[in-house]
């Protein structure tokens, strides 16, 4: 949990240490300043000690800048040696660069340059290191030598140029050409041909143009007796050396070779193997000597060199040049990549070489300069990695003075404190709107990790806390600071609960946006580098802060809640739910969150939310009906625009319910009841409004057919509404709600509440639809009835009875013909067929005239009976037709006695206490061989039909029997199904016997239909003792097509009808492929 903001924030230990060091340095600086300067420094001190520590400045005072500029000019003017391959050779170019880097005017530059030229030149020195030699001659009897070197600088004598192999042999030796006090000698390495010295000498010289370096290598000879020499003798070659030595003076050293180099040919730094040159041609190959050279200065005349340590001066020069490089790149709108220009590289190399700075001190100066500049200039933190690596590789604490150790420790603590301040403000310092921000933050973290791993850091900052702990504390503090900044940013200018709610909502949105960024981007970086879970920490801190403000806001709202305030609270509630989903699930966390049970803060607003949802939906329904022209949307879509709008309204109500998703189960049940109640009320309101709209549009219509068409659209709209209402249980997730409240509600309470509301609404819609259909029938038959009443009365008065009966017969026959034609043209419209069916019934009553007209036998002709059957089918719904189809197949099953396709034996019973249909599939016999091998691989598929009566029951299958025309299955199946759908006409158990094919589709052996109405135990409450066996012959679908299927196929817009027809057509096609031929 976050620390309370009422307490002051404690600074991390490293931050306190950096402040102490800075105080001490400021105090020391004040002691050396005049009183006026001390007053100004107090302001600086108070500024540095503020909670937000500013980075140290990288700028120098004018006096410091002049001293540093003098040092740089002195370095360029007294350059020694050949330039490096990539360095700048012209002094004028280097001087021009310095003038630009130090931002000096031309006059000031010329004055400074003249003053530096007048300074005393330094003492030029060659720092020579004799590392080792290899492959030298063996001058002793033992075959080895005792080598040592004499070296020095020869002044005033030029040495011929060219490669070493082309130079003439140098006869003179060091002891003859260089005074003894200027000659230096290495140690003697005994008995070796590959000596190692690693000795360094400082050799002064006056003029580099006529000075040369000379090195002679000698074999030390001591006076020994002949006996001793014979004891060292190993071969005849050694014996020759004994005779040779006998001819020379006692104790005279042997010459092994020399190296002579012109100083003006050397670079500032050299590290090479040089061949040893002979004095004679006797032994031209005398081995090689490894030498290192460095051209350095002693007693430089600049003020900086006399008053400050070399590495400090070099650090200041490096700091000035790097600052210039970074500024130049920023002026060009580019980012500095850490590479110095050739001019800066040349000047720094010359200065470090002339000042004889070691690699370690150069790395240390680079670290001190870069770490300081990084805190004030913008450049990649990866530039700090190289000095860190170099210092770590060469670190020896004893080589540094106390002041240097303190300075290095201060740089560590200062950079760490600055890095932690950047990490604390990483959201603003590394914005994701800049593409390289993640990589920059990752580079900073890696620099801090590498720095804290250094041996130097461990020894100088031993009391520092672990870096992950410091970073975690910085992130926690920064997260709280960021939240308060955002809260201040969204603080409204005017007072008011609505404005405050909007500000709080915007704050929560910003919090969620930040958490998403932490989860997607930042968390990976902190996790990979420091194993820190930034997202979890940020979520815990922010959810606590958000919860406090949300609870205060909801408490201040009070009750009752206005509609405007309710809308504001609902948006806040939804945002808090999304915020909670970002966090860990309750099972995965070890603490209680402040946002747990936050929904209780919004309980007073629930009535306002529900009322607002109903009001908005009612307004949309009224507007949709008012704009509806009662015209079908298309050829296949028979309802109008208002039905579509109403479906959208109901979908919006369901969406609101899902958004609400109230956590408390009991209260969630009551909210769902309210949603269902409002939805059903809207449905009935829509029925009233759409009928009123139809009357309004029909009032000015002279064409009665147009009014009838509008009424048809109204009926279709109501039917569409009934389909939408039927989807409420799925849209409002009744099953999930029932599982949540199952233990809290009484048994049957959910059924008696929600389902009762739904059934009541559906019953009301059904009544409205029936009323509309009756109205259509009355409108359709009314003109014909009036015509017949008037005309037939006239004819009955003027015709004798026999002629009048003949006229009635002709009229009846013609009327049936017209109705048959109309029925054929409206075959796919169940509504039109219903109207024709009612018309036929009314015409039959009219022509019979209660016994005064045509007798029943004259009325019920073959045409009348066929038309009556067709209209009966056409007026039926798709589900009623499917039910009639299965009734016909059951009748076909009853009438089939032949077993030419085979038969199945089955036992079935119903257990009312368990509501289970128990089926035992015993066997099949006499199956037809459908495979090429003369057999079949039969299995049986069991399905309860029609599917709309048993939607939850999936088909079952038996095991597959290989190559068996009389399979014995003996398998039991149980179907959990209530008794009511089983007792309906057409309900049956469909047994489909199939031949399994591995590669293609399964072949049809035949179908058997077991009517469920006759299953023992279904009609009585007593449990059946033993179900009888039933042997059902297999049948095929009708080969010429079923009229019911043809009618269903004509209803293109009915998906359920089309799916049923496709399955039945597939079975008919399979049957036709294996139909029995005559004689089979």
């Amino acid at each position: 949990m976050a620390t309370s903001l009422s307490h002051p924030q404690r600074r991390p230990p490293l931050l306190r240490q950096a402040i102490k060091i800075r105080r001490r340095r400021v105090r020391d600086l004040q002691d050396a300043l005049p009183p006026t300067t001390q007053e100004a420094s107090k302001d600086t001190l108070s500024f540095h000690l503020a909670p937000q520590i500013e980075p140290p400045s990288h700028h120098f005072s004018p006096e410091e800048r002049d001293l540093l500029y003098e040092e740089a000019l002195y370095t360029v003017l007294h350059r020694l040696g050949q330039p490096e391959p990539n360095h700048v050779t012209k002094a004028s170019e280097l001087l021009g660069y310095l003038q630009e880097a130090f931002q000096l005017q031309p006059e000031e530059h010329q004055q400074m340059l003249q003053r530096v030229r007048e300074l005393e030149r330094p003492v030029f020195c060659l720092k020579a290191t004799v590392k080792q030699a290899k492959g030298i001659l063996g001058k002793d009897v033992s075959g080895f030598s005792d080598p040592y070197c004499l070296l020095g600088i020869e002044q005033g004598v030029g040495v011929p140029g060219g490669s070493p192999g082309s130079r003439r042999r140098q006869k003179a030796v060091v002891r003859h050409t260089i005074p003894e006090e200027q000659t230096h000698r290495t140690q003697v390495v005994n008995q070796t041909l590959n000596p190692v010295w690693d000795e360094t000498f400082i050799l002064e010289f006056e003029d580099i143009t006529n000075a040369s370096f000379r090195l002679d290598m000698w074999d030390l000879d001591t006076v020994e007796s002949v006996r001793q020499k014979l004891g060292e003798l190993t071969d005849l070659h050694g014996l020759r050396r004994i005779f040779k030595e006998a001819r020379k003076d006692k104790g005279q050293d042997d010459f092994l070779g020399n190296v002579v180099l012109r100083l003006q040919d050397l670079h500032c730094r050299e590290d090479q193997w040089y061949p040893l040159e002979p004095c004679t041609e006797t032994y031209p190959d005398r081995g090689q000597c490894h030498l290192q050279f460095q051209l350095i200065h002693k007693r430089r005349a600049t003020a900086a060199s006399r008053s400050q340590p070399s590495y400090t001066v070099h650090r200041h020069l490096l700091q000035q040049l790097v600052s210039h490089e970074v500024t130049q790149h920023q002026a060009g709108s580019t980012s500095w990549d850490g590479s110095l220009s050739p001019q800066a590289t040349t000047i720094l190399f010359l200065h470090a070489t002339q000042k004889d700075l070691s690699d370690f001190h150069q790395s240390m100066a680079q670290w001190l300069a870069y770490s300081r500049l990084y805190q004030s200039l913008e450049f990649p933190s990866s530039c700090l990695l190289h000095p860190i690596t170099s210092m770590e590789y060469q670190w020896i604490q004893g080589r540094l003075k106390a002041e240097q150790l303190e300075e290095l420790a201060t740089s560590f603590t200062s950079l760490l404190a600055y890095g932690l301040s950047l990490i604390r403000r990483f959201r603003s310092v590394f914005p994701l709107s800049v593409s390289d921000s993640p990589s920059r933050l990752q580079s900073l973290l890696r620099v801090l990790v590498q720095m804290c791993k250094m041996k130097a850091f461990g020894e100088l900052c031993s009391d520092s806390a672990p870096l992950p702990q410091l970073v975690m504390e910085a992130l926690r503090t920064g997260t709280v600071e960021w939240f308060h900044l955002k809260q201040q940013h969204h603080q409204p200018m005017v007072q008011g609960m609505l404005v405050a709610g909007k500000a709080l909502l915007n704050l929560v949105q910003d919090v969620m946006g930040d958490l998403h960024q932490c989860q997607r981007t930042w968390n990976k970086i902190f996790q990979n580098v420091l194993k820190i879970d930034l997202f979890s920490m940020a979520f815990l801190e922010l959810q606590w802060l958000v919860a406090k403000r949300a609870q205060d806001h909801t408490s201040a709202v009070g009750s009752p809640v206005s509609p405007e305030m309710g809308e504001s609270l609902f948006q806040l509630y939804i945002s808090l739910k999304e915020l909670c989903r970002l966090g860990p699930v309750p099972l995965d966390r070890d603490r209680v969150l402040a946002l747990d049970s936050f929904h209780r803060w919004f309980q007073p607003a629930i009535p306002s939310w529900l009322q607002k949802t109903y009001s908005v939906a009612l307004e949309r329904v009224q507007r949709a009906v008012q704009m509806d022209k009662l015209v079908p949307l298309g050829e296949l879509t028979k309802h109008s625009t208002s039905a579509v709008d109403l479906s959208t309204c109901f979908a919006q109500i369901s969406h609101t319910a899902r958004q609400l998703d109230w956590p408390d189960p009991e209260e969630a049940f009551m909210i769902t009841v309210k949603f269902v109640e409002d939805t059903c009320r809207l449905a009935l309101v829509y029925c009233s409004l759409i009928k009123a709209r139809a009357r309004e549009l029909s009032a000015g219509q002279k064409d009665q057919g147009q009014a009838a068409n509008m009424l048809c659209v109204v009926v279709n709209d109501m039917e569409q509404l009934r389909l939408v209402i039927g989807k409420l249980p799925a849209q409002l997730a009744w099953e999930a709600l029932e599982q949540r409240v199952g233990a809290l509600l009484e048994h049957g309470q959910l059924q008696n509440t929600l389902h009762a509301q739904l059934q009541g609404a559906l019953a009301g819609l059904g009544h409205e639809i029936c009323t509309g259909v009756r109205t259509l029938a009355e409108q359709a038959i009314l003109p014909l009835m009036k015509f017949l009443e008037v005309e037939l009365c006239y004819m009955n008065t003027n015709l004798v009875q026999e002629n009048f009966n003949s006229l009635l017969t002709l009229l009846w026959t013609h009327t049936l013909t017209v109705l048959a034609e109309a029925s054929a043209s409206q075959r796919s419209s169940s509504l039109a067929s219903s109207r024709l069916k009612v018309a036929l019934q009314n015409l039959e009553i009219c022509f019979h005239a209660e016994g005064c007209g045509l007798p029943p036998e004259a009325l019920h002709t073959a045409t009348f009976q066929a038309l009556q059957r067709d209209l009966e089918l056409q007026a039926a719904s798709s589900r009623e037709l499917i039910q009639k189809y299965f009734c016909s197949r059951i009748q076909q099953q009853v009438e089939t006695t032949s077993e030419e396709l085979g038969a199945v034996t089955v036992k079935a019973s119903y257990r009312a206490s368990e509501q289970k249909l128990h089926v035992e599939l015993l066997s099949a016999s006499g199956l037809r061989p459908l495979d090429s091998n003369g057999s079949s691989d039969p299995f049986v598929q069991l399905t309860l039909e029609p599917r709309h009566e048993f939607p939850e029951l999936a088909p079952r299958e038996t095991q597959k029997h290989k190559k068996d025309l009389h399979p014995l299955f003996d398998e039991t199946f149980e179907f959990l199904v209530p008794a009511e759908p089983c007792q309906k006409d057409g309900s049956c158990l469909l047994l489909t016997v199939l031949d399994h094919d591995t590669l293609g589709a399964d072949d049809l052996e035949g179908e058997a239909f077991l009517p469920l109405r006759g299953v023992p135990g279904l009609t009585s409450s007593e449990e059946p003792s033993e179900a009888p066996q039933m042997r059902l012959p297999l049948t095929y679908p009708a080969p010429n097509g079923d009229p019911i299927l043809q009618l269903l196929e004509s209803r293109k817009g009915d998906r359920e009808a089309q799916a049923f027809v496709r399955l039945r057509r597939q079975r008919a096609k399979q049957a036709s492929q294996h139909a029995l031929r005559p004689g089979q």
Side-chain angles (χ1 to χ4, degrees):
M1 190 66 67
T3 308
S4 174
L5 296 178
S6 60
H7 299 289
Q9 298 292 325
R10 290 178 57 86
R11 298 189 181 96
L14 282 175
L15 191 57
R16 296 198 299 271
Q17 183 178 357
I19 292 174
K20 290 179 181 179
I21 294 173
R22 186 164 297 168
R23 282 174 175 167
R24 183 168 63 252
R25 295 178 64 184
V26 171
R27 187 168 56 249
D28 295 342
L29 181 61
Q30 286 179 336
D31 295 340
L33 294 175
T36 56
T37 310
Q38 289 184 9
E39 293 298 326
S41 67
K42 289 180 181 179
D43 297 336
T44 305
L45 177 60
S46 62
F47 174 75
H48 282 303
L49 296 182
Q52 179 65 37
I53 295 182
E54 293 294 331
S57 173
H58 64 278
H59 298 291
F60 297 103
S61 66
E63 294 78 8
E64 292 174 332
R65 187 198 62 177
D66 291 344
L67 293 178
L68 196 58
Y69 193 61
E70 178 188 64
E71 179 75 16
L73 293 177
Y74 194 85
T75 300
V76 174
L77 292 178
H78 297 288
R79 179 178 187 175
L80 295 175
Q82 295 294 321
E84 298 297 322
N86 297 324
H87 286 186
V88 177
T89 59
K90 295 182 180 179
S92 59
E93 185 176 350
L94 296 179
L95 294 175
Y97 173 80
L98 287 175
Q99 179 186 349
E100 181 183 355
F102 282 81
Q103 299 180 353
L104 264 65
Q105 296 298 326
E107 299 80 8
E108 189 178 3
H109 168 72
Q110 290 299 329
Q111 293 175 4
M112 187 71 70
L113 183 62
Q114 182 61 32
R115 191 176 68 185
V116 172
R117 285 196 175 111
E118 294 174 356
L119 293 176
E120 182 182 356
R121 74 170 193 172
V123 176
F124 299 141
C125 300
L126 176 67
K127 182 180 180 182
T129 300
V130 184
K131 300 294 288 184
Q132 59 183 323
K134 61 181 179 181
I136 65 175
L137 297 178
K139 290 292 188 177
D140 293 342
V141 177
S142 60
F144 296 98
S145 293
D146 303 320
Y148 68 93
C149 296
L150 296 177
L151 62 155
I153 299 294
E154 182 182 5
Q155 295 283 353
V157 179
V159 180
S163 63
S166 63
R167 298 172 187 168
R168 63 180 180 84
R169 310 303 179 201
Q170 302 296 315
K171 299 296 183 180
V173 294
V174 170
R175 61 184 59 171
H176 296 155
T177 57
I178 302 176
E180 184 176 356
E181 64 273 9
Q182 297 179 12
T183 302
H184 301 269
R185 173 173 173 165
T186 67
Q187 298 292 326
V188 178
V189 182
N190 295 321
Q191 295 299 296
T192 180
L193 298 181
N194 301 294
V196 176
W197 291 285
D198 200 11
E199 297 182 37
T200 301
F201 305 91
I202 305 298
L203 311 176
E204 298 182 3
F205 60 90
E206 293 291 333
D207 185 5
I208 194 172
T209 58
N210 59 3
S212 61
F213 169 80
R214 301 185 67 92
L215 178 142
D216 293 347
M217 190 178 297
W218 297 87
D219 170 40
L220 179 66
D221 276 349
T222 57
V223 179
E224 295 180 345
S225 64
V226 176
R227 182 183 298 273
Q228 289 175 328
K229 294 182 179 180
L230 290 175
E232 298 173 359
L233 185 64
T234 57
D235 54 12
L236 293 177
H237 189 66
L239 185 60
R240 292 175 56 192
R241 291 198 187 98
I242 292 177
F243 290 120
K244 184 176 180 180
E245 289 180 1
R247 296 195 299 266
K248 71 178 183 178
D249 297 336
K250 294 183 178 180
Q252 182 179 355
D253 295 340
D254 294 323
F255 181 78
L256 296 177
N258 68 354
V259 176
V260 181
L261 301 171
R262 293 191 304 177
L263 295 190
Q264 65 180 1
D265 294 335
L266 296 178
H267 293 86
C268 289
R269 292 176 182 266
E270 292 280 3
D271 187 352
Q272 292 188 32
W273 285 88
Y274 295 94
L276 293 172
E277 300 290 344
C279 288
T280 65
E281 301 293 340
T282 308
Y283 296 104
D285 186 6
R286 290 175 172 264
Q288 293 177 305
C289 184
H290 183 194
L291 300 176
Q292 290 179 348
F293 298 110
Q294 184 176 340
L295 295 171
I296 64 174
H297 292 173
K298 290 173 63 176
R299 295 191 292 275
R300 289 165 66 94
T302 61
S305 295
R306 294 196 305 267
S307 61
Q308 298 178 16
S310 297
Y311 88 94
T312 302
V313 179
H314 186 72
R315 172 170 64 86
H316 290 167
L317 181 59
L318 173 64
Q319 184 173 321
Q320 178 67 26
L321 298 185
V322 171
S323 174
H324 170 68
E325 296 276 330
V326 176
T327 306
Q328 288 295 104
H329 279 81
Q330 290 177 348
S333 301
T334 58
S335 177
W336 187 56
D337 60 356
S339 301
L340 292 172
S341 64
Q343 295 87 349
T345 303
T346 303
I347 294 171
L348 292 172
F349 176 79
L350 291 176
H351 187 263
T353 304
Q354 294 172 9
K355 300 284 284 185
D356 193 20
L357 282 178
S358 65
D359 291 340
F360 175 79
H361 282 89
Q362 291 185 55
S363 299
M364 180 176 170
Q366 187 180 9
W367 163 256
L368 294 174
Y370 277 33
S371 63
R372 186 182 184 89
L373 288 173
Y374 180 73
Q375 300 177 52
S376 55
L377 295 177
E378 183 178 352
F379 63 87
S381 56
S382 57
C383 299
L384 299 170
L385 289 175
H386 175 69
I388 286 177
T389 305
S390 300
M391 290 171 60
E392 177 70 7
Y393 180 72
Q394 306 174 71
W395 171 251
I396 299 177
Q397 184 176 357
R399 74 169 66 181
L400 297 179
K401 299 178 181 179
E403 300 82 19
Q404 296 174 338
L405 292 175
E406 181 181 357
E407 191 173 18
L408 189 58
T410 302
S411 71
F412 287 151
T413 55
S414 177
L415 182 66
L416 182 56
Y418 179 71
L420 291 175
S421 71
L422 294 183
I423 293 172
R424 191 180 75 247
R425 297 177 289 116
F426 77 91
R427 294 172 175 87
S428 57
V429 177
F430 304 100
L432 284 179
S433 57
V434 181
S435 59
D436 64 340
S437 290
S439 60
R440 287 167 49 218
L441 175 60
Q442 187 172 21
S443 176
L444 171 62
L445 293 176
R446 287 177 176 171
V447 166
L448 294 180
V449 168
Q450 293 301 321
M451 183 186 74
C452 293
K453 286 182 178 180
M454 294 174 64
K455 294 190 288 289
F457 184 89
E459 295 172 6
L460 300 179
C461 305
S462 57
D463 59 341
S464 172
L467 181 61
Q469 178 181 341
L470 296 174
V471 172
M472 179 63 82
E473 183 62 31
L475 290 172
R476 184 176 289 109
T477 304
T479 299
V480 176
E481 292 176 354
W482 174 85
F483 178 84
H484 287 290
L485 285 175
K486 285 296 181 181
Q487 184 182 15
Q488 185 177 4
H489 173 72
H490 292 297
Q491 190 71 25
M493 301 296 294
V494 295
Q495 299 296 327
M497 292 305 299
L498 284 176
V499 179
K502 184 177 180 180
L504 180 57
L505 178 62
N506 293 333
L507 179 61
V508 175
Q509 294 293 337
D510 284 347
V511 167
M512 287 193 295
D514 180 72
L515 288 175
H516 280 298
Q517 290 182 357
C518 290
Q519 192 175 38
R520 292 193 297 262
T521 304
W522 304 121
N523 199 61
K524 298 176 183 177
I525 296 175
F526 285 96
Q527 187 70 35
N528 292 338
V529 179
L530 289 169
K531 307 301 181 186
I532 290 178
D533 189 355
L534 168 66
F535 173 75
S536 297
M537 181 279 300
F539 178 81
L540 293 176
E541 294 293 330
L542 292 174
Q543 65 89 27
W544 182 82
L545 295 168
V546 168
K548 179 67 170 61
R549 282 140 190 86
Q551 189 173 12
D552 293 344
H553 178 72
T554 53
S555 300
V557 170
S559 183
V561 179
S562 65
E564 296 79 8
M565 181 55 66
E567 177 65 22
S568 175
L569 290 178
F570 185 75
Q571 296 300 325
L572 181 60
Y573 172 81
I574 297 302
S575 298
L576 292 179
K577 283 189 72 69
E578 295 178 2
L579 178 60
C580 289
R581 292 192 189 100
L582 291 176
V585 297
L587 297 178
D588 297 338
R589 62 184 191 225
D590 56 355
R591 67 176 73 182
V592 178
L593 300 181
L595 281 177
D596 288 345
S597 303
F598 78 92
H599 64 281
R600 300 189 182 280
W601 310 336
F602 295 87
Q603 282 179 332
I606 293 179
S608 173
W609 296 346
L610 298 177
Q611 182 60 37
K612 180 66 178 296
T613 302
Y614 176 77
S615 301
V616 171
L618 178 60
E619 183 180 349
R620 290 188 61 178
V621 168
Q622 292 172 342
R623 186 166 58 250
V625 173
Q626 191 62 33
M627 299 184 65
D628 195 352
K629 301 300 182 182
L630 296 182
V631 177
L633 289 175
E635 183 179 351
L636 300 179
T637 306
K638 303 301 182 181
H639 50 265
S640 61
T641 57
S642 62
V644 178
D645 292 338
L646 186 65
S647 301
T648 306
C649 290
F650 288 175
Q652 185 61 43
I653 293 176
S654 301
H655 178 67
T656 303
R658 289 194 297 271
Q659 281 185 309
L660 191 57
D661 189 22
W662 197 255
D664 184 81
E666 192 169 358
E667 295 174 355
F669 173 71
M670 300 305 298
I671 292 173
T672 305
V673 170
K674 178 62 175 172
F675 275 128
V676 174
E677 178 183 346
D678 290 346
T679 304
C680 295
R681 191 179 358 161
L682 281 173
L684 298 178
V685 169
Y686 173 77
C687 291
S688 301
L689 292 176
I690 198 68
K691 289 191 296 184
R693 178 63 174 167
R695 288 193 296 270
E696 177 186 351
L697 294 177
S698 302
Q701 292 285 346
K702 297 181 179 180
D703 186 2
Q704 293 298 324
Q706 186 68 24
N709 291 337
M710 290 184 183
L711 189 55
C712 289
V713 173
V714 170
V715 173
N716 290 336
D717 288 343
M718 293 180 184
E719 181 64 31
Q720 178 67 19
L721 176 58
R722 184 164 62 175
L723 295 176
V724 173
I725 290 291
K727 299 177 182 179
L728 271 182
Q731 292 178 341
L732 297 179
W734 285 11
E735 291 186 3
L737 179 64
E738 187 173 5
Q739 294 175 358
R740 291 173 59 193
V741 303
L744 302 176
L745 301 180
E746 297 180 1
H747 179 69
Q749 185 175 355
L750 183 68
Q751 186 76 22
N752 296 333
T753 306
L754 295 178
H755 290 277
Q757 286 181 336
L758 183 62
Q759 293 303 323
L762 292 176
L765 286 174
H767 174 72
E768 293 289 346
I769 293 173
C770 291
T771 303
V773 171
R774 282 197 299 271
T775 304
L776 279 173
E778 293 172 359
Q779 290 182 355
I781 201 64
L782 184 59
L784 180 60
M785 293 296 103
K786 289 182 178 181
F787 171 79
L788 290 176
E789 181 180 2
V790 174
E791 296 298 329
L792 292 181
C793 287
Y794 173 79
M795 294 179 183
N796 188 25
T797 304
N798 295 282
L799 292 176
V800 296
Q801 187 65 34
E802 290 80 4
N803 292 334
F804 180 68
N805 289 340
S806 299
L807 177 63
L808 286 179
T809 303
L810 291 174
L811 287 175
W812 177 244
T813 303
H814 183 70
T815 301
L816 291 179
T817 304
V818 172
L819 288 177
E821 293 176 355
S823 173
S825 63
Q826 300 292 331
R827 182 175 179 82
S828 60
S829 174
S830 59
L831 181 59
S833 299
S834 298
R835 295 166 62 184
L836 292 174
K837 178 182 175 183
V838 174
L840 180 63
Q841 293 172 352
N842 289 325
L843 287 171
E844 180 187 6
I845 296 173
C846 177
F847 275 86
H848 182 58
E850 297 180 353
C852 298
L854 295 177
E857 57 272 12
L859 293 172
H860 298 165
T861 63
T863 304
F864 171 83
Q865 294 177 0
L867 179 60
Q868 190 178 40
R869 286 194 302 270
D870 290 343
L871 291 177
E872 187 74 27
L873 291 178
Q874 292 172 198
S877 65
S878 297
R879 291 189 172 182
E880 291 173 344
L881 290 176
I882 293 173
Q883 194 169 0
K884 290 179 181 295
Y885 173 81
F886 283 107
C887 287
S888 65
R889 293 303 302 272
I890 292 173
Q891 185 62 33
Q892 178 189 359
Q893 182 71 54
V894 172
E895 296 172 356
T896 301
T897 57
S898 171
E899 296 184 2
E900 56 185 352
L901 299 178
V904 292
T905 303
V906 65
K907 296 169 65 175
S909 61
Y910 185 80
R911 299 173 184 174
S913 60
E914 301 177 2
Q915 288 193 337
K916 286 185 179 179
L917 176 65
H918 185 81
V919 178
E920 295 181 44
L921 187 59
L922 302 178
S923 63
S925 60
L927 301 181
R928 300 182 61 205
L930 300 182
D931 292 341
S932 58
N933 56 10
S935 185
S936 289
D937 304 324
F939 69 98
V940 181
Q941 188 181 78
L942 296 85
T943 313
L944 292 183
E945 299 289 354
R947 297 299 302 153
H948 62 263
E949 296 290 350
F950 309 97
E952 304 296 331
L953 297 178
R956 312 287 180 84
E957 290 184 358
T958 65
Q959 298 293 326
K960 298 176 179 62
H961 289 244
K962 295 290 185 180
K963 298 180 180 180
D964 193 351
L965 299 180
H966 305 278
L968 181 62
F969 296 107
D970 199 13
E971 296 185 34
T972 302
F973 303 90
E974 288 186 343
F975 298 88
L976 182 61
V977 58
E980 181 182 358
C982 298
Q983 295 173 349
K984 293 183 179 181
D985 291 338
S987 297
C988 62
L989 173 64
L990 172 58
L991 303 168
T992 306
V993 183
L994 299 166
D995 169 36
H996 174 66
D997 282 346
T998 305
L999 299 179
D1002 297 332
D1003 297 324
L1004 178 67
E1005 289 277 2
E1007 296 175 320
F1009 295 83
L1010 175 64
L1012 297 182
R1013 297 182 66 177
V1015 172
L1018 189 64
T1019 56
S1020 62
S1021 58
E1022 298 181 359
E1023 298 290 339
S1025 56
E1026 179 66 26
Q1029 291 187 10
M1030 289 175 281
R1031 186 175 178 87
L1032 302 176
L1034 298 181
T1035 62
Y1036 271 170
N1040 298 326
D1042 192 287
I1044 296 178
L1045 294 182
Q1046 295 174 357
L1047 186 57
L1048 286 172
E1049 190 174 14
S1050 67
R1051 298 181 179 182
K1052 302 297 183 182
D1054 193 331
R1055 294 183 179 179
E1056 185 177 8
Q1058 297 303 313
F1060 179 78
V1061 170
R1062 278 196 300 271
L1063 178 60
R1064 290 290 94 201
R1065 294 294 189 203
Q1066 179 184 0
R1067 292 286 183 254
K1069 181 178 180 181
Q1070 292 174 322
S1072 63
Q1073 293 174 351
H1074 304 288
L1076 288 173
R1077 299 181 179 86
Q1080 285 187 334

